[in-house]
């Protein structure tokens, strides 16, 4: 699978039963459809949070192809204080998060214990990438 | 069971003979349409018209089928597996699937376990191939491995193994090729009719030029040929479908008996019917071989004459009506209850041979439950029933997450991924395109050498 941003071959990382695809170069993260379910469990709240944001915020990001089917991915915006813009495949192959976005989502979107474990997990996996998502936006003009 | 196999064999041979006649008839019709008849031959006073074209057509038709059949037979399972895009795997690639296949082969008393193939597709389906129980193979999709729990997987594998044990596989392949050949030849025939001047020739030729009796005979033969060409493919398909439906029921019965857990297959069929693959990824010729026909799923109608498989709902209903029993007799009774004529179609010897067998409990919920259920299941029924109980499971039930992971890793191994286990607990999977010699662990920063391409 190729990174939809920089077209490098992506690594697959598995840790404690959860799997994600990671781009070595840009640290973007791809989550397969099933993978997100595993990650979120049945946290209804998190699912709602994922689409709570104002879609207008997505306008400035350029569109990306799904790394599985090459279809142009749609943009969704999360709720929370610093809404995160992420990509989703229209054919439900999965979700794409730029560097740090996934962690930002989980830190904001979940307050209960179970999701906190996932945050813990991601911090474990990416010890140096808990940069707030807003900084990333300014890096990408 | 021997009578079951013998009866199947007899019926199959009869059917094959009839299909062969159809095939030759179609061949004759085509040949006759192209080269109507020979010049009169004087055979010791009697005048004979030899239909050379017809005889040649028969030969060609036989060759069309024979070459394909020979290719399929001599290659064993390989040709079909290649056509389905299936790849052979070894035990270490997916031990759980291999265990299930081995258990079910023992339960079905196969001489040896079939080879195991994986179809790299996330749809849910399975089929068996091969010329006899010694040269057999089962194929399952990656999606099936990922979605089904152990009981369900066991049910599906048992169904396929039953096809092998009942010697359905070779027949289905040969008959399928024959139906395909007949369809192909009639299509050629109609094209020949369309482009040749057969219809038009009489208009430009003087009617008188041929003797009246000969002309009428030719016309009648031509009409017969036409009718045959229209009817033959339908007839061939009906024959094939009637027989394949029967075999699906019998394989379902086998699936219930070998596992002693009808619910496993029942719930697997329900799950599979939700996503048995799409029309694009499955060839028409192969479709009838799958446990759920991908081309028929979705059509919820009652079994029509032209469906290869009984409707899923009915198959599930029969399996669920077995009332806690796990023998052929229980299946026959359930079949009877659901559709009214079941027992008549399961040979008496198969019914008589099986002493009452209780279905076992589910063992797929939790790893702990699986172990206790296995311990509680009665042992030693094998001698009594003629159907050995599956050996106790060596591995505990995998969680859905684990199943998904195992399947993903299996596919990656098949696609030449390299695996690195870092001491920090992270597992890195590198695609074959990853060309850098080293990779840094995202968690602990340790630098790993990338293993060479396998
Ligand atoms: Zn990248
Ligand atoms: Zn896609
Ligand atoms: Zn590490």
């Amino acid at each position: 699978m190729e990174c939809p941003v920089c077209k490098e071959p992506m690594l697959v990382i598995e840790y404690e039963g959860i799997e994600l695809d990671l781009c070595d170069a840009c640290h973007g993260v791809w989550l397969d459809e099933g993978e997100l379910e595993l990650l979120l469990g049945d946290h209804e709240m998190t699912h709602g949070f994922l689409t709570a944001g104002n879609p207008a915020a997505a306008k400035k990001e350029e569109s990306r192809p799904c790394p599985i089917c090459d279809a142009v991915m749609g943009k969704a915006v999360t709720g929370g204080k610093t809404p995160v813009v992420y990509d989703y495949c229209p054919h439900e192959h999965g979700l794409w998060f730029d560097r740090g976005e996934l962690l930002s989502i989980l830190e904001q979107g979940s307050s209960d214990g179970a999701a906190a474990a996932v945050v813990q997990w991601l911090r474990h996996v990416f010890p140096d990438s808990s940069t707030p998502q807003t900084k990333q936006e300014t890096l990408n003009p | 069971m021997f009578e079951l196999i013998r009866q199947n064999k007899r019926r199959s041979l009869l059917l094959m003979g009839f299909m062969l006649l159809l095939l030759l008839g179609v061949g004759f019709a085509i040949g006759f349409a192209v080269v109507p008849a020979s010049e009169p031959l004087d055979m010791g006073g009697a005048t004979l018209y030899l239909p050379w074209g017809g005889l040649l057509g028969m030969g060609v038709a036989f060759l069309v089928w024979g070459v394909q059949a020979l290719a399929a037979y001599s290659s064993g399972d390989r040709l079909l597996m290649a056509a389905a895009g299936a790849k052979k795997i070894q035990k270490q690639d997916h031990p759980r699937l291999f265990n299930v296949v081995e258990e079910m082969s023992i339960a079905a008393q196969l001489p040896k376990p079939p080879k195991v193939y994986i179809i790299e597709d996330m749809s849910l389906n399975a089929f068996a191939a091969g010329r006899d129980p010694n040269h057999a193979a089962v194929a399952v999709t990656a999606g099936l491995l990922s979605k089904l729990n152990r009981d369900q997987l066991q049910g599906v594998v048992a169904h396929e193994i039953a096809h092998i044990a009942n010697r359905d596989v070779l027949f289905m392949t040969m008959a399928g090729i024959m139906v395909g050949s007949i369809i192909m030849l009639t299509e050629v025939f109609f094209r020949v009719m369309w482009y040749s001047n057969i219809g038009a020739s009489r208009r430009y030729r003087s009617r008188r030029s041929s003797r009246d009796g000969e002309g009428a005979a030719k016309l009648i033969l031509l009409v017969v040929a036409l009718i045959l060409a229209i009817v033959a493919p339908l007839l061939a398909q009906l024959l094939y479908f009637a027989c394949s439906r029967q075999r699906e029921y019998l394989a379902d019965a086998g699936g219930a008996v070998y596992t002693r857990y009808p619910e496993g297959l029942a719930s697997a069929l329900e799950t599979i019917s939700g996503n048995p693959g799409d029309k694009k990824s499955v060839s028409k010729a192969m479709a009838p071989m799958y446990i759920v026909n991908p081309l028929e799923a979705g059509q919820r109608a009652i079994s029509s004459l032209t469906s290869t498989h009984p409707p899923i709902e009915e198959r599930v209903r029969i399996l669920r009506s077995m009332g806690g029993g796990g023998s052929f007799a229980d299946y026959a009774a359930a079949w009877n209850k659901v559709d009214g004529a079941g027992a008549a179609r399961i040979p008496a010897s198969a019914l008589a041979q099986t002493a009452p067998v209780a279905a076992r409990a589910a063992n797929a919920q939790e790893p702990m439950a699986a172990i206790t259920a296995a311990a509680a299941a009665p042992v030693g029924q094998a001698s009594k029933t003629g159907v050995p109980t599956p050996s106790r499971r060596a591995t505990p039930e995998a969680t859905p997450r684990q199943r998904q992971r195992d399947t993903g890793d299996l596919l990656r191994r098949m696609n030449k991924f390299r695996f690195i286990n870092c001491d920090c607990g992270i597992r890195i999977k590198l695609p074959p395109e990853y060309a850098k010699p080293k990779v840094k662990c995202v968690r602990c920063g340790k630098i790993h050498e990338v293993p060479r391409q396998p």
Side-chain angles (χ1 to χ4, degrees):
Chain A
M1 207 163 85
E2 275 179 2
C3 168
V5 179
C6 45
K7 304 296 168 202
E8 290 287 312
M10 293 179 78
L11 313 180
V12 184
I13 305 293
E14 181 188 332
Y15 183 63
E16 290 184 358
I18 293 175
E19 196 175 81
L20 47 81
D21 293 74
L22 173 76
C23 174
D24 220 8
C26 69
H27 283 228
V29 169
W30 170 262
L31 276 182
D32 273 344
E33 189 61 15
E35 230 46 60
L36 186 74
E37 282 163 22
L38 291 180
L39 203 60
L40 298 177
D42 16 69
H43 298 292
E44 292 286 327
M45 186 265 307
T46 322
H47 280 287
F49 170 79
L50 278 175
T51 50
N54 177 8
K59 290 263 165 65
K60 53 187 173 177
E61 258 195 29
E62 69 180 280
S63 62
R64 291 168 181 141
C66 166
I68 292 176
C69 67
D70 276 336
V72 174
M73 289 198 280
K75 300 279 181 191
V77 186
T78 66
K81 276 188 199 131
T82 48
V84 173
V85 182
Y86 63 97
D87 304 69
Y88 64 91
C89 167
H91 306 301
E92 303 194 331
H93 285 118
L95 306 173
W96 173 261
F97 303 93
D98 290 325
R99 180 192 184 107
E101 283 181 353
L102 183 57
L103 195 57
S104 172
I105 284 177
L106 289 163
E107 278 174 342
Q108 292 184 74
S110 51
S111 46
D112 60 336
V118 177
V119 175
Q120 195 77 24
W121 182 88
L122 281 169
R123 281 225 186 81
H124 267 297
V125 177
F126 307 108
D128 61 341
S129 70
S130 57
T131 39
Q133 193 268 336
T134 38
K135 276 186 202 161
Q136 283 305 310
E137 287 299 338
T138 51
L139 281 176
N140 295 337
Chain B
M1 281 309 288
F2 289 115
E3 195 200 325
L4 183 72
I5 292 164
R6 248 201 329 272
Q7 188 186 324
N8 262 337
K9 208 172 186 175
R10 218 166 28 229
R11 201 188 294 120
S12 315
L13 282 177
L14 204 72
L15 199 93
M16 291 288 279
F18 198 68
M19 275 191 177
L20 193 64
L21 280 181
L22 266 179
L23 181 81
L24 294 177
V26 169
F28 186 90
I30 296 173
F32 186 78
V34 178
V35 186
S38 71
E39 292 302 305
L41 288 174
D42 198 19
M43 302 280 279
T47 317
L48 271 177
Y49 296 93
L50 274 184
W52 289 119
L55 294 176
L56 190 72
M58 264 164 79
V60 169
F62 187 76
L63 274 181
V64 164
W65 172 74
V67 166
Q68 292 182 72
L70 199 68
Y73 185 83
S74 59
S75 77
D77 48 64
R78 264 174 304 157
L79 200 77
L80 280 173
M81 289 299 171
K87 286 183 189 163
K88 196 176 165 193
I89 62 161
Q90 303 303 323
K91 183 160 187 166
Q92 66 266 23
D93 294 327
H94 205 287
R96 198 151 36 82
L97 176 61
F98 265 78
N99 283 343
V100 169
V101 169
E102 281 163 10
E103 280 172 18
M104 291 304 108
S105 307
I106 293 167
Q109 292 169 304
L110 289 190
K112 66 177 192 193
K115 284 168 269 176
V116 180
Y117 284 76
I118 299 293
I119 302 163
E120 268 185 76
D121 195 276
M122 289 319 279
S123 64
L124 313 175
N125 229 321
F127 71 91
R131 87 176 73 125
D132 59 47
N134 273 309
H135 304 84
V138 291
V140 301
T141 60
L144 197 81
L145 281 183
S146 169
K147 288 275 154 55
L148 298 192
N149 68 32
R150 193 187 173 99
D151 279 336
Q152 294 170 324
L153 184 65
Q154 208 177 34
V156 170
V157 168
H159 172 101
E160 297 308 330
I161 299 255
H163 273 312
I164 295 171
N166 298 347
R167 298 178 188 254
D168 292 346
V169 181
L170 180 65
F171 164 77
M172 301 290 256
T173 312
M174 294 298 145
I177 291 173
M178 212 175 263
V179 172
S181 304
I182 290 174
I183 291 172
M184 205 184 96
L185 286 168
T186 50
E187 272 168 11
V188 169
F189 176 68
F190 286 121
R191 222 155 282 168
V192 166
M193 292 291 285
W194 185 255
Y195 290 114
S196 75
N197 55 0
I198 291 165
S201 64
R202 284 158 48 78
R203 200 190 290 169
Y204 302 114
R205 208 191 286 160
S206 162
R207 195 177 274 213
R208 296 275 151 77
S209 72
S210 63
R211 279 147 296 172
D212 276 352
E214 189 198 334
K218 268 186 191 172
L219 189 66
I220 288 166
L221 270 171
L222 203 61
V223 169
V224 168
L226 250 175
I227 291 171
L228 190 63
I230 293 166
V231 170
L234 296 174
L235 206 56
Q237 283 184 56
L238 284 184
L239 281 175
Y240 177 69
F241 294 154
C243 211
S244 69
R245 271 204 301 275
Q246 164 93 356
R247 283 161 190 274
E248 288 310 318
Y249 282 119
L250 290 178
D252 278 355
V257 172
Y258 301 152
T259 57
R260 295 194 301 115
Y261 187 61
E263 178 55 27
L265 180 57
S267 65
L269 285 174
E270 277 183 338
T271 310
I272 293 172
S273 68
N275 179 20
D278 51 25
K279 296 175 168 49
K280 270 175 288 173
S281 65
V282 175
S283 82
K284 242 187 195 150
M286 294 272 303
M289 299 187 66
Y290 289 86
I291 185 167
V292 171
N293 188 329
L295 306 184
E296 286 172 7
Q299 47 187 67
R300 288 260 164 256
I302 338 142
S303 174
S304 70
L305 274 175
T306 53
S307 50
T308 58
H309 288 53
I312 297 266
E313 293 85 349
E314 187 173 316
R315 293 168 70 184
V316 170
R317 217 167 332 127
I318 295 173
L319 288 165
R320 294 215 165 121
S321 307
M322 288 176 70
S327 70
F328 279 111
D330 293 314
Y331 187 86
W335 192 356
N336 238 351
K337 221 180 334 174
V338 169
D339 128 317
R345 281 175 277 173
I346 286 195
S349 69
L351 300 180
Q353 205 175 36
T354 44
V357 180
R360 63 170 172 78
N363 57 30
Q365 280 96 2
E366 290 303 318
M368 266 324 285
I371 291 159
T372 38
V379 190
Q381 251 166 356
S383 54
K384 228 175 17 192
T385 60
V387 178
T389 42
S391 65
R392 299 275 62 93
R393 22 217 56 78
T395 45
E397 174 69 17
T399 61
R401 180 180 300 193
Q402 219 174 315
R403 279 204 303 268
Q404 193 173 335
R405 203 66 62 230
D406 289 351
T407 310
D409 283 355
L410 170 65
L411 293 182
R412 291 202 180 95
R413 240 189 316 271
M414 285 163 70
N415 288 313
K416 303 195 160 49
F417 270 63
R418 291 150 293 170
F419 295 80
I420 295 169
N421 291 318
C422 185
D423 294 333
C424 69
I426 274 197
R427 188 163 153 84
I428 306 169
K429 304 163 190 181
L430 294 163
E433 307 89 71
Y434 191 86
K436 289 175 225 170
K438 293 197 163 79
V439 63
K440 187 177 162 190
C441 172
V442 276
R443 186 172 172 212
C444 67
K446 187 176 170 189
I447 309 284
H448 294 272
E449 296 271 343
V450 174
R452 289 274 183 83
Q453 300 274 1

